[in-house]
């Protein structure tokens, strides 16, 4: 960079790109950082004209240059779109920053279909992976996943959401994702909605065509979601698991061996059967079961009468028979269904409401549980 001013450069380099999750210094996207006769000029490169959050990036850079403005300089900040090769180079750089092995030999131990592993599965990864599952569909698994993700983000954590329900995806609609991922060469940058980075097959197909995802394509999609998606090492990655223990679920669990399992259930006291199923799920997926969330626990009429429409005690019984905590009971409220239909999760639509409180507490409990202890088999006493 010609006429680069170190003080200006340093201030700008420290800014974190809101859409790429790393500092502009790490990304190498500061194109110009000059200071001449009371004028500070900064140019930052963004991947394309479709860069999702130019205003926020502009705001952050301008804010970082506040000291220069206060000292009387005129500050000019411009964003410029990259050329195609620069985009591909940035994609490679993102992979390098996250430690994605792009050249691992095919069939390397523990690797995905093409021999590539996700940085999220590395032992040193700081991301807690929360796999949200249920014994059957329609109990509110996606609803819980989406609202918990937003609640964690609102509590200040960085959060990713992987919609692994490949055929039954609902995250794009429920979270209200409005723009497509950015594709930089081979790297896919997830859109950020309500503070949550998300990826779903729904971004890549029409709803009617979703059924076309089959066999190898599906594994490829999953692998791409874990390896080629630039998650940016979030504090939490929530996974909306596909139902049951089919191929996709097993594949997710294999590729994310550090995932913790959470089970969503309804209050019907069919505890034994549900417990057996949840226990079997944890064993088959080989993931530690951390807790139970009961959904649709009760319904309150506007005059305050409380009805237990779907029975009572199911969550409590399930958690005690599995020996894990019941982490939350989520009431049945219209705001949840309406929010799911128009992309405004209840936690966002009514931030001071009952549901927001339930999910805030759930988020706090999950944080308090801490990461699952990893038992290394070689250390186990026989
Ligand atoms: N607590 C709740 N109150 C009201 N509606 C809910 C609640 N939980 C889920 N729903 C609605 O029930 C339906 C099924 O929920 P969903 O999260 O899609 O279930 P799953 O992912 O387990 O199939 C959706 O229409 C959703 O909006
Ligand atoms: Mg679902």
């Amino acid at each position: 960079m010609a006429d680069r001013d170190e003080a200006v450069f340093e201030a700008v380099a420290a800014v974190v790109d809101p859409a790429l999750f790393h500092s502009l210094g790490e990304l190498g996207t500061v194109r110009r950082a000059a200071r001449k006769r009371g004028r500070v000029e900064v140019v930052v490169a963004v991947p394309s004209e479709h860069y999702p959050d130019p205003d926020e990036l502009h705001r952050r850079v301008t804010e970082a240059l506040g000291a220069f403005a206060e000292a009387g300089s005129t500050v000019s900040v411009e964003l410029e779109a990259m050329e195609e090769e620069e985009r591909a180079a940035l994609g490679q750089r993102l992979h390098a920053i996250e430690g994605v092995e792009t050249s691992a030999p095919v069939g390397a131990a523990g690797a995905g279909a093409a021999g590539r592993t996700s940085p999220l599965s590395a032992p040193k990864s700081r991301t807690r992976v929360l796999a949200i599952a249920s014994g059957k569909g329609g109990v509110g698994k996606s609803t819980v996943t989406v609202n918990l993700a937003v609640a964690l983000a609102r509590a200040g954590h960085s959060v990713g959401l992987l919609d692994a329900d490949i055929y039954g995806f609902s995250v794009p609609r429920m979270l209200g994702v409005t723009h497509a991922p950015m594709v930089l060469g081979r790297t896919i940058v997830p859109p950020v909605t309500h503070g949550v980075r998300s990826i779903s097959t729904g971004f890549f197909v029409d709803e009617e065509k979703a059924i076309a995802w089959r066999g190898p394509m599906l594994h490829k999609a999953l692998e791409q979601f874990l390896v080629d998606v630039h998650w940016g090492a979030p504090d939490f990655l929530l996974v909306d698991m596909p139902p049951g223990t089919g191929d996709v679920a097993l594949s997710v669990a294999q590729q994310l061996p550090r995932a913790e399992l959470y089970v969503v259930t309804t209050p019907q006291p069919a505890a034994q059967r549900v417990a057996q199923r949840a226990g079997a799920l944890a064993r088959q997926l080989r993931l530690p079961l951390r807790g139970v969330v009961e959904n649709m626990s009760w319904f309150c009429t506007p005059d305050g009468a409380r009805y237990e429409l779907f029975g009572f005690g199911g969550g409590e019984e399930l958690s005690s028979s599995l020996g894990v905590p019941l982490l939350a009971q989520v009431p049945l409220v219209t705001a949840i269904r309406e929010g799911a239909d128009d992309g405004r999760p209840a936690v966002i639509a009514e931030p001071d409401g009952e549901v927001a409180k339930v999910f805030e507490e759930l988020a706090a409990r999950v944080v308090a549980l801490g990461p699952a202890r990893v038992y290394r088999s070689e250390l186990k006493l026989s």
Side-chain angles (χ1 to χ4, degrees):
M1 221 181 300
D3 59 3
R4 158 162 140 178
D5 182 278
E6 281 312 318
V8 172
F9 180 81
E10 261 176 47
V12 178
V15 170
V16 172
D17 187 307
L20 299 171
F21 325 128
H22 287 280
S23 73
L24 305 183
E26 280 175 284
L27 297 167
T29 52
V30 183
R31 275 206 178 143
R32 181 172 163 79
R35 179 159 50 160
K36 261 188 243 155
R37 292 186 292 282
R39 194 176 155 75
V40 169
E41 283 179 14
V42 168
V43 177
V44 176
V46 295
S48 77
E49 62 273 28
H50 303 301
Y51 177 82
D53 213 349
D55 295 345
E56 176 61 12
L57 176 58
H58 196 278
R59 192 195 64 75
R60 289 187 188 185
V61 174
T62 307
E63 183 179 274
L65 295 168
F68 297 95
E70 271 166 37
S73 297
T74 317
V75 172
S76 142
V77 175
E78 275 179 49
L79 308 184
E80 272 177 15
M82 294 177 188
E83 303 293 327
E84 189 53 45
E85 311 91 84
E86 288 176 287
R87 288 160 56 94
L90 176 63
Q92 281 179 357
R93 189 159 195 151
L94 293 178
H95 268 6
I97 292 173
E98 295 215 345
V100 174
E101 298 271 340
T102 43
S103 57
V106 171
R116 304 182 312 137
T117 49
S118 166
L120 296 166
S121 66
K124 66 176 195 309
S125 164
R126 53 184 288 283
T127 302
R128 274 180 69 190
V129 180
L130 316 178
I132 318 290
S134 66
K136 59 173 190 195
V139 301
K141 177 171 56 70
S142 303
T143 303
V144 168
T145 310
V146 165
N147 281 285
L148 175 59
V150 175
L152 283 164
R154 284 170 58 87
H157 304 283
S158 52
V159 181
L161 203 179
L162 167 63
D163 187 353
D165 201 343
I166 303 262
Y167 299 116
F169 60 81
S170 51
V171 167
R173 181 178 48 88
M174 281 191 179
L175 193 57
V177 182
T178 51
H179 59 265
M182 276 191 293
V183 179
L184 308 173
R186 157 164 220 182
T187 308
I188 303 167
V189 182
V192 183
T193 317
H194 306 307
V196 175
R197 312 159 192 184
S198 69
I199 281 292
S200 168
T201 44
F203 297 163
F204 303 96
V205 289
D206 296 345
E207 266 184 65
E208 297 92 74
K209 289 188 194 150
I211 203 72
W213 293 88
R214 288 270 177 255
M217 236 175 119
L218 196 109
H219 284 277
K220 191 76 201 149
L222 260 184
E223 186 202 301
Q224 278 200 314
F225 286 176
L226 294 167
V227 181
D228 289 329
V229 170
H230 173 62
W231 288 107
D235 298 326
F236 294 93
L237 177 74
L238 280 74
V239 185
D240 188 355
M241 290 293 281
T245 52
D247 262 13
V248 184
L250 285 170
S251 173
V252 173
Q254 265 165 19
Q255 294 193 43
L256 293 170
R258 300 171 61 256
E260 311 163 25
L261 193 64
Y262 294 82
V263 176
V264 179
T265 192
T266 47
Q268 285 100 325
Q272 271 331 100
R273 204 164 34 91
V274 183
Q276 276 165 8
R277 218 183 281 153
L281 187 72
R283 276 191 304 278
Q284 277 168 357
L285 298 179
R286 294 167 173 264
L287 298 178
L289 190 56
R290 303 301 307 282
V292 170
V293 174
E294 185 186 88
N295 187 30
M296 312 192 188
S297 299
W298 60 79
F299 177 75
C300 278
T301 58
D303 56 16
R306 182 165 150 153
Y307 296 96
E308 266 124 12
L309 295 179
F310 295 115
F312 174 80
E316 193 63 61
E317 275 185 58
L318 177 59
S319 69
S320 63
S321 62
L322 291 170
V324 295
L326 174 60
L327 295 169
Q329 290 180 292
V330 183
L332 189 71
V333 286
T334 347
I336 292 188
R337 193 193 39 75
E338 285 171 357
D341 289 342
D342 56 6
R344 284 174 57 75
V347 169
I348 292 283
E350 292 180 359
D352 301 316
E354 184 188 13
V355 176
K357 201 161 293 149
V358 167
F359 280 102
E360 258 161 47
E361 281 170 19
L362 172 59
R365 294 214 169 106
V366 169
V367 171
L369 275 182
R373 279 199 283 162
V374 180
Y375 292 101
R376 287 171 43 201
S377 54
E378 65 266 36
L379 297 180
K380 224 188 273 172
L381 301 173
S382 53

